Amino acid sequence: MATVLGDEIDVLAKAKRAIAGDYAPSEAEPYMCEAQLDYYRRLLQEWKKLIVSAAQDTLQQLQDGPIREPDLNDRASSETEWGIELRTRDRQRKLISKIDSALRRIEEGEYGYCEVTGEPIGLGRLSARPIATMTVEAQQAHERREKISRDD
């Protein structure tokens, strides 16, 4: 689990480097001004592009041929690694739908605002998690309710 999340963070960091320029969202500007929206739009698009590229690489490796390790232990290790890789790609497929949803919210003027309270999510949270749909407080409350309902 830690490596999957680590991979997700690495890909996001790579996307940030790819669009790096002179601009970074700042608290000094109006919240969700055109420059901020453009920054997050480009970040989300680059993040999606990197994920799709990695998925295509995985698909190409799968098409190149089955696992042909002569030793049973080596074959088992390879199959385990492929299983982890495929689970990672499935997780990223779900992430792409969240990225698409965030891009839609940008186009509709809803990006950056909590879907529960309507309050600004905050630049720090959006920089860490550009697909965030709730403020930290709303997310924590949601997770507490989820935990309570699971415990029942």
Side-chain angles (χ1 to χ4, degrees), residues 47-109:
W47 194 13
K48 180 179 175 179
K49 184 175 93 176
L50 291 170
I51 291 169
V52 168
S53 174
Q56 289 171 340
D57 291 346
T58 299
L59 183 60
Q60 184 59 46
Q61 290 173 357
L62 281 171
Q63 289 174 343
D64 286 345
I67 300 168
R68 295 187 183 171
E69 302 287 345
D71 182 65
L72 288 177
N73 290 328
D74 290 343
R75 186 178 305 159
S77 293
S78 293
E79 288 175 359
T80 300
E81 289 171 11
W82 273 111
I84 292 168
E85 181 73 17
L86 292 173
R87 281 193 303 275
T88 299
R89 296 295 163 234
D90 185 53
R91 180 181 168 95
Q92 289 179 338
R93 179 187 53 80
K94 293 172 185 172
L95 180 59
I96 286 175
S97 71
K98 290 179 181 182
I99 291 171
D100 287 339
S101 177
L103 289 167
R104 180 194 49 76
R105 287 193 311 276
I106 287 173
E107 297 308 315
E108 294 175 357

Side-chain angles (χ1 to χ4, degrees), residues 98 114-117 125 129 131-152:
K98 290 179 181 182
C114 181
E115 65 183 14
V116 175
T117 65
R125 178 156 168 76
R129 188 91 174 136
I131 58 172
T133 59
M134 292 185 254
T135 61
V136 172
E137 296 80 14
Q139 182 70 40
Q140 288 172 338
H142 172 75
E143 289 170 2
R144 278 193 301 274
R145 284 190 305 275
E146 211 172 60
K147 183 181 182 320
I148 290 171
S149 66
R150 260 186 291 156
D151 291 344
D152 288 344

Side-chain angles (χ1 to χ4, degrees), residues 3-65:
T3 58
V4 172
L5 183 57
D7 288 345
E8 189 176 306
I9 292 169
D10 290 345
V11 174
L12 178 57
K14 192 174 183 181
K16 286 179 182 180
R17 285 191 304 274
I19 68 161
D22 296 336
Y23 180 77
S26 165
E27 300 286 339
E29 19 181 37
Y31 188 70
M32 288 301 119
C33 64
E34 197 56 42
Q36 289 178 357
L37 289 172
D38 184 57
Y39 171 83
Y40 287 113
R41 182 181 300 111
R42 290 184 303 117
L43 177 61
L44 289 162
Q45 289 169 340
E46 183 65 24
W47 194 13
K48 180 179 175 179
K49 184 175 93 176
L50 291 170
I51 291 169
V52 168
S53 174
Q56 289 171 340
D57 291 346
T58 299
L59 183 60
Q60 184 59 46
Q61 290 173 357
L62 281 171
Q63 289 174 343
D64 286 345

